[in-house]
Coordinates of all heavy atoms in Angstrom, one line a residue:
Chain O
R80 N 9.9 0.8 12.4 CA 10.9 1.8 12.5 C 12.2 1.2 13.1 O 13.3 1.5 12.7 CB 10.3 2.9 13.4 CG 10.8 4.3 13.1 CD 9.9 5.3 13.8 NE 8.8 5.7 12.9 CZ 8.0 6.8 13.1 NH1 8.3 7.6 14.1 NH2 7.0 7.0 12.3
V87 N 19.8 -0.3 8.8 CA 20.8 0.7 8.3 C 22.1 0.6 9.1 O 23.2 0.6 8.5 CB 20.2 2.1 8.4 CG1 21.2 3.2 8.1 CG2 19.1 2.2 7.3
I90 N 24.0 -2.5 7.9 CA 24.6 -2.4 6.6 C 25.9 -1.5 6.7 O 26.9 -1.9 6.2 CB 23.6 -1.7 5.6 CG1 22.5 -2.7 5.3 CG2 24.4 -1.4 4.3 CD1 21.4 -2.1 4.4
Q94 N 28.8 -4.1 6.5 CA 29.0 -4.0 5.1 C 28.8 -5.4 4.4 O 29.7 -5.9 3.7 CB 30.4 -3.5 4.8 CG 30.6 -2.2 5.6 CD 31.7 -1.3 5.1 OE1 32.7 -1.7 4.6 NE2 31.4 0.0 5.1
L100 N 23.3 -9.3 2.4 CA 22.7 -8.0 2.1 C 21.2 -8.1 1.7 O 20.4 -7.4 2.2 CB 23.5 -7.3 1.0 CG 23.0 -5.9 0.5 CD1 22.8 -4.9 1.7 CD2 23.9 -5.3 -0.5
R115 N 1.7 -2.5 6.7 CA 0.5 -2.1 6.0 C -0.7 -3.1 6.3 O -1.8 -2.7 6.3 CB 0.8 -2.1 4.5 CG 1.4 -0.8 4.0 CD 2.1 -1.0 2.7 NE 3.2 -0.1 2.6 CZ 3.2 1.0 1.9 NH1 2.2 1.4 1.2 NH2 4.3 1.8 1.8
K125 N -11.8 1.2 12.4 CA -12.4 2.5 12.4 C -13.8 2.6 11.8 O -14.5 3.5 12.1 CB -11.5 3.4 11.5 CG -10.2 3.8 12.3 CD -9.5 4.8 11.5 CE -8.3 5.3 12.2 NZ -7.5 6.2 11.4
R126 N -14.1 1.5 11.1 CA -15.5 1.5 10.5 C -16.5 0.8 11.4 O -17.7 0.9 11.1 CB -15.4 0.8 9.1 CG -14.6 1.6 8.1 CD -14.5 0.9 6.8 NE -13.5 1.6 5.9 CZ -13.7 2.7 5.2 NH1 -14.9 3.3 5.2 NH2 -12.8 3.2 4.5
A129 N -19.0 3.3 12.6 CA -19.9 3.8 11.6 C -21.0 2.8 11.3 O -22.1 3.2 11.0 CB -19.1 4.0 10.3
L191 N -23.6 -5.4 -3.0 CA -24.4 -4.5 -3.9 C -25.8 -4.9 -3.9 O -26.7 -4.0 -3.9 CB -23.8 -4.7 -5.4 CG -22.4 -4.1 -5.7 CD1 -22.2 -4.1 -7.2 CD2 -22.3 -2.7 -5.2
M194 N -27.6 -3.5 -1.0 CA -27.8 -2.0 -1.2 C -29.0 -1.8 -2.1 O -29.7 -0.8 -1.8 CB -26.5 -1.4 -1.7 CG -25.4 -1.4 -0.8 SD -23.8 -1.2 -1.7 CE -23.2 0.3 -1.2
M195 N -29.1 -2.6 -3.1 CA -30.2 -2.4 -4.1 C -31.6 -2.7 -3.5 O -32.6 -2.1 -3.8 CB -30.0 -3.2 -5.3 CG -28.9 -2.6 -6.2 SD -28.3 -3.8 -7.4 CE -26.9 -2.9 -8.1
I201 N -27.3 1.1 2.5 CA -26.2 1.6 1.6 C -25.0 2.1 2.5 O -23.9 1.7 2.2 CB -26.7 2.8 0.7 CG1 -27.6 2.1 -0.4 CG2 -25.6 3.6 0.1 CD1 -28.2 3.1 -1.4
T202 N -25.2 2.9 3.5 CA -24.1 3.4 4.3 C -23.3 2.2 4.9 O -22.1 2.1 4.7 CB -24.5 4.4 5.4 OG1 -25.3 5.4 4.7 CG2 -23.3 5.0 6.1
T205 N -21.5 0.1 2.3 CA -20.4 0.7 1.7 C -19.2 0.5 2.6 O -18.1 0.2 2.1 CB -20.7 2.2 1.6 OG1 -21.7 2.4 0.6 CG2 -19.5 3.0 1.0
H206 N -19.3 0.7 3.9 CA -18.2 0.5 4.8 C -17.8 -1.0 4.8 O -16.6 -1.2 4.8 CB -18.6 0.9 6.3 CG -18.7 2.4 6.5 ND1 -17.6 3.2 6.3 CD2 -19.7 3.2 6.8 CE1 -18.0 4.5 6.5 NE2 -19.3 4.5 6.8
L208 N -18.0 -2.9 2.2 CA -17.3 -3.1 1.0 C -15.8 -2.7 1.1 O -14.9 -3.4 0.7 CB -17.8 -2.1 -0.1 CG -19.0 -2.7 -1.0 CD1 -19.5 -1.5 -1.9 CD2 -18.5 -3.8 -1.9
F209 N -15.5 -1.6 1.8 CA -14.2 -1.2 2.0 C -13.4 -2.2 2.9 O -12.2 -2.4 2.8 CB -14.1 0.2 2.6 CG -14.2 1.3 1.6 CD1 -15.4 2.1 1.5 CD2 -13.2 1.6 0.7 CE1 -15.5 3.1 0.5 CE2 -13.3 2.6 -0.3 CZ -14.4 3.3 -0.4
K212 N -12.5 -5.1 0.9 CA -11.4 -4.8 0.0 C -10.1 -4.8 0.9 O -9.0 -5.3 0.4 CB -11.6 -3.4 -0.6 CG -10.5 -2.9 -1.5 CD -10.5 -3.6 -2.8 CE -9.3 -3.2 -3.6 NZ -9.0 -4.1 -4.7
R216 N -6.8 -7.1 0.2 CA -5.5 -6.5 0.0 C -4.4 -7.2 0.9 O -3.2 -7.2 0.6 CB -5.5 -5.0 0.3 CG -6.1 -4.2 -0.9 CD -6.3 -2.8 -0.5 NE -5.0 -2.1 -0.1 CZ -5.0 -1.0 0.6 NH1 -6.1 -0.4 0.9 NH2 -3.8 -0.5 0.9
H220 N -0.4 -8.3 0.1 CA 0.8 -8.2 0.9 C 1.4 -9.5 1.1 O 2.7 -9.6 1.1 CB 0.5 -7.5 2.2 CG 0.1 -6.0 2.0 ND1 1.1 -5.1 1.5 CD2 -1.0 -5.3 2.1 CE1 0.5 -3.9 1.4 NE2 -0.8 -4.0 1.7
Y230 N 13.2 -13.6 -3.6 CA 14.4 -12.7 -3.9 C 15.5 -12.9 -2.9 O 16.7 -13.0 -3.3 CB 13.9 -11.2 -3.9 CG 15.0 -10.2 -3.8 CD1 15.8 -9.9 -4.9 CD2 15.3 -9.7 -2.5 CE1 16.8 -9.0 -4.7 CE2 16.3 -8.8 -2.4 CZ 17.1 -8.4 -3.5 OH 18.1 -7.5 -3.3
Q236 N 13.8 -12.0 -9.1 CA 12.4 -11.8 -8.9 C 11.7 -13.0 -9.5 O 12.2 -13.5 -10.6 CB 11.9 -10.5 -9.5 CG 12.6 -9.3 -9.1 CD 12.3 -8.8 -7.7 OE1 11.3 -9.3 -7.1 NE2 13.1 -8.0 -7.1
E244 N -5.3 -10.0 -9.1 CA -6.2 -9.1 -9.8 C -7.4 -8.8 -8.9 O -7.8 -9.6 -8.2 CB -6.7 -9.7 -11.1 CG -5.7 -9.9 -12.2 CD -5.2 -8.6 -12.8 OE1 -5.8 -7.5 -12.6 OE2 -4.1 -8.6 -13.4
D245 N -7.9 -7.6 -9.0 CA -9.2 -7.3 -8.4 C -10.2 -7.5 -9.5 O -10.4 -6.7 -10.4 CB -9.2 -5.8 -7.9 CG -10.6 -5.5 -7.3 OD1 -11.5 -6.2 -7.5 OD2 -10.7 -4.5 -6.6
T247 N -13.4 -7.6 -9.2 CA -14.7 -6.9 -9.1 C -14.7 -5.6 -10.1 O -15.7 -5.1 -10.4 CB -14.9 -6.3 -7.7 OG1 -13.9 -5.4 -7.4 CG2 -15.0 -7.5 -6.7
A248 N -13.5 -5.2 -10.5 CA -13.4 -4.1 -11.4 C -14.2 -4.3 -12.7 O -14.6 -3.3 -13.3 CB -11.9 -3.8 -11.7
V250 N -17.1 -6.0 -12.6 CA -18.5 -6.2 -12.3 C -19.3 -5.0 -12.7 O -19.2 -3.9 -12.2 CB -18.7 -6.4 -10.7 CG1 -20.2 -6.5 -10.4 CG2 -18.0 -7.7 -10.2
G251 N -20.1 -5.2 -13.8 CA -20.8 -4.1 -14.3 C -22.2 -4.2 -13.8 O -22.4 -4.4 -12.6
Chain B
R63 N 12.0 -2.3 -10.1 CA 12.9 -3.4 -10.1 C 14.3 -3.0 -10.4 O 15.3 -3.4 -9.7 CB 12.4 -4.4 -11.1 CG 12.6 -5.8 -10.7 CD 11.7 -6.8 -11.5 NE 10.4 -7.0 -10.9 CZ 9.6 -7.9 -11.3 NH1 9.9 -8.8 -12.2 NH2 8.4 -8.1 -10.7
V70 N 21.1 -2.4 -4.6 CA 21.8 -3.5 -3.9 C 23.2 -3.6 -4.4 O 24.2 -3.8 -3.6 CB 21.0 -4.8 -4.1 CG1 21.9 -6.0 -3.7 CG2 19.7 -4.8 -3.3
I73 N 25.2 -0.7 -2.8 CA 25.5 -0.9 -1.4 C 26.7 -2.0 -1.3 O 27.6 -1.7 -0.6 CB 24.3 -1.4 -0.6 CG1 23.2 -0.3 -0.5 CG2 24.7 -1.8 0.8 CD1 21.9 -0.8 0.1
Q77 N 29.8 0.2 -0.4 CA 29.7 0.2 1.0 C 29.5 1.5 1.6 O 30.3 2.0 2.5 CB 30.9 -0.6 1.6 CG 31.1 -1.9 0.8 CD 32.0 -2.9 1.5 OE1 32.9 -2.6 2.2 NE2 31.6 -4.2 1.4
L83 N 24.3 6.1 2.5 CA 23.5 4.9 2.6 C 22.0 5.2 2.7 O 21.2 4.6 2.1 CB 23.9 4.1 3.9 CG 23.2 2.9 4.2 CD1 23.2 1.9 3.1 CD2 23.8 2.2 5.5
R98 N 3.3 2.1 -6.2 CA 2.0 2.0 -5.7 C 1.0 3.1 -6.3 O -0.1 2.8 -6.5 CB 1.9 2.0 -4.2 CG 2.3 0.6 -3.7 CD 2.7 0.7 -2.2 NE 3.7 -0.4 -1.9 CZ 3.4 -1.5 -1.2 NH1 2.2 -1.7 -0.8 NH2 4.3 -2.4 -0.9
K108 N -9.1 0.2 -14.6 CA -9.8 -1.0 -14.7 C -11.3 -0.9 -14.4 O -12.1 -1.7 -14.8 CB -9.2 -2.0 -13.7 CG -7.9 -2.6 -14.2 CD -7.5 -3.7 -13.2 CE -6.2 -4.4 -13.8 NZ -5.7 -5.3 -12.8
R109 N -11.7 0.2 -13.7 CA -13.1 0.4 -13.4 C -13.8 1.2 -14.6 O -15.0 1.3 -14.5 CB -13.2 1.1 -12.1 CG -12.7 0.2 -10.9 CD -12.9 0.9 -9.6 NE -12.1 0.1 -8.6 CZ -12.6 -0.9 -7.9 NH1 -13.8 -1.4 -8.2 NH2 -11.9 -1.6 -7.0
A112 N -16.3 -1.0 -16.2 CA -17.4 -1.3 -15.4 C -18.5 -0.2 -15.4 O -19.7 -0.5 -15.3 CB -17.0 -1.6 -14.0
L174 N -22.8 8.5 -1.8 CA -23.8 7.7 -1.0 C -25.2 8.3 -1.4 O -26.2 7.6 -1.5 CB -23.6 7.8 0.5 CG -22.4 7.1 1.0 CD1 -22.5 7.1 2.6 CD2 -22.3 5.6 0.5
M177 N -26.5 7.1 -4.6 CA -26.9 5.7 -4.5 C -28.3 5.6 -3.9 O -29.1 4.7 -4.3 CB -25.9 4.9 -3.7 CG -24.6 4.7 -4.4 SD -23.3 4.4 -3.2 CE -22.8 2.7 -3.6
M178 N -28.5 6.4 -2.9 CA -29.8 6.4 -2.1 C -31.0 6.9 -3.0 O -32.1 6.4 -2.9 CB -29.7 7.2 -0.8 CG -28.9 6.4 0.2 SD -28.5 7.6 1.5 CE -27.4 6.5 2.5
I184 N -26.2 2.4 -8.0 CA -25.3 1.8 -7.0 C -24.0 1.2 -7.5 O -22.9 1.4 -7.0 CB -26.2 0.8 -6.2 CG1 -27.1 1.5 -5.3 CG2 -25.3 -0.2 -5.4 CD1 -28.1 0.6 -4.5
T185 N -24.1 0.4 -8.6 CA -22.9 -0.2 -9.1 C -21.9 0.8 -9.6 O -20.7 0.7 -9.2 CB -23.3 -1.2 -10.3 OG1 -24.3 -2.1 -9.8 CG2 -22.1 -2.0 -10.8
T188 N -20.4 2.7 -6.7 CA -19.5 1.9 -5.9 C -18.1 1.9 -6.5 O -17.1 2.1 -5.8 CB -20.0 0.5 -5.8 OG1 -21.3 0.5 -5.1 CG2 -19.1 -0.4 -5.0
H189 N -18.1 1.8 -7.8 CA -16.8 1.8 -8.5 C -16.1 3.2 -8.3 O -14.9 3.3 -8.1 CB -16.9 1.5 -10.0 CG -17.1 0.0 -10.2 ND1 -16.2 -0.9 -9.8 CD2 -18.2 -0.7 -10.7 CE1 -16.7 -2.1 -10.1 NE2 -17.9 -2.0 -10.6
L191 N -16.6 5.2 -5.8 CA -16.1 5.3 -4.4 C -14.7 4.7 -4.3 O -13.9 5.3 -3.6 CB -17.0 4.5 -3.5 CG -18.2 5.1 -2.8 CD1 -19.1 4.1 -2.1 CD2 -17.8 6.2 -1.9
F192 N -14.5 3.6 -4.9 CA -13.2 3.0 -4.9 C -12.1 3.9 -5.6 O -11.0 4.0 -5.2 CB -13.2 1.6 -5.4 CG -13.6 0.5 -4.5 CD1 -14.9 -0.1 -4.6 CD2 -12.8 0.2 -3.4 CE1 -15.3 -1.0 -3.7 CE2 -13.3 -0.8 -2.5 CZ -14.5 -1.4 -2.6
K195 N -11.3 6.7 -3.3 CA -10.4 6.2 -2.3 C -9.0 6.0 -2.8 O -8.0 6.4 -2.2 CB -11.0 4.9 -1.8 CG -10.1 4.2 -0.7 CD -10.3 5.0 0.7 CE -9.3 4.4 1.7 NZ -9.2 5.4 2.8
R199 N -5.7 7.9 -1.5 CA -4.5 7.2 -1.1 C -3.2 7.7 -1.7 O -2.1 7.5 -1.1 CB -4.6 5.7 -1.4 CG -5.5 5.0 -0.3 CD -5.8 3.6 -0.7 NE -4.6 2.8 -0.9 CZ -4.6 1.6 -1.6 NH1 -5.6 1.2 -2.2 NH2 -3.5 0.9 -1.6
H203 N 0.7 8.3 -0.1 CA 2.0 8.0 -0.6 C 2.9 9.2 -0.7 O 4.1 9.2 -0.4 CB 1.9 7.3 -1.9 CG 1.3 5.9 -1.8 ND1 2.0 4.9 -1.2 CD2 0.1 5.4 -2.2 CE1 1.3 3.8 -1.2 NE2 0.1 4.1 -1.8
Y213 N 13.9 11.8 6.4 CA 14.8 10.8 6.9 C 16.1 10.8 6.2 O 17.2 10.7 6.8 CB 14.1 9.4 6.8 CG 15.1 8.2 6.9 CD1 15.6 7.8 8.1 CD2 15.5 7.6 5.7 CE1 16.5 6.7 8.2 CE2 16.5 6.6 5.8 CZ 16.9 6.1 7.0 OH 17.8 5.1 7.0
E227 N -5.7 10.8 8.0 CA -6.8 9.9 8.4 C -7.8 9.8 7.3 O -8.0 10.7 6.5 CB -7.5 10.6 9.6 CG -6.7 10.7 10.9 CD -6.5 9.4 11.6 OE1 -7.2 8.4 11.2 OE2 -5.6 9.3 12.4
D228 N -8.5 8.7 7.3 CA -9.7 8.5 6.4 C -10.9 8.9 7.3 O -11.4 8.1 8.1 CB -9.8 7.1 5.9 CG -11.1 6.9 5.0 OD1 -11.9 7.8 5.0 OD2 -11.1 5.9 4.3
T230 N -13.9 9.4 6.4 CA -15.2 8.9 6.1 C -15.6 7.7 6.9 O -16.7 7.3 7.0 CB -15.3 8.3 4.6 OG1 -14.3 7.3 4.5 CG2 -15.0 9.5 3.6
A231 N -14.5 7.1 7.6 CA -14.8 5.9 8.5 C -15.8 6.3 9.6 O -16.4 5.4 10.1 CB -13.5 5.5 9.1
V233 N -18.4 8.4 9.0 CA -19.6 8.8 8.3 C -20.7 7.7 8.6 O -20.6 6.6 8.1 CB -19.5 9.0 6.8 CG1 -20.9 9.2 6.2 CG2 -18.6 10.1 6.5
G234 N -21.6 8.0 9.5 CA -22.6 7.0 9.9 C -23.8 7.2 9.0 O -23.7 7.5 7.8

Side-chain angles (χ1 to χ4, degrees):
Chain O
R80 214 164 272 198
V87 168
I90 293 174
Q94 310 200 323
L100 178 54
R115 279 161 210 256
K125 285 187 171 172
R126 296 181 190 275
L191 289 192
M194 290 159 115
M195 285 166 187
I201 287 177
T202 304
T205 296
H206 287 297
L208 269 174
F209 278 108
K212 180 72 188 165
R216 281 172 60 199
H220 289 293
Y230 160 82
Q236 307 287 345
E244 292 290 343
D245 180 345
T247 63
V250 173
Chain B
R63 213 163 272 197
V70 168
I73 293 174
Q77 310 200 324
L83 178 55
R98 279 162 210 258
K108 284 188 171 172
R109 297 181 190 274
L174 289 191
M177 291 159 114
M178 286 166 187
I184 287 177
T185 304
T188 297
H189 287 298
L191 269 174
F192 278 108
K195 180 72 187 165
R199 282 171 59 200
H203 290 292
Y213 160 81
E227 292 290 344
D228 179 345
T230 63
V233 173

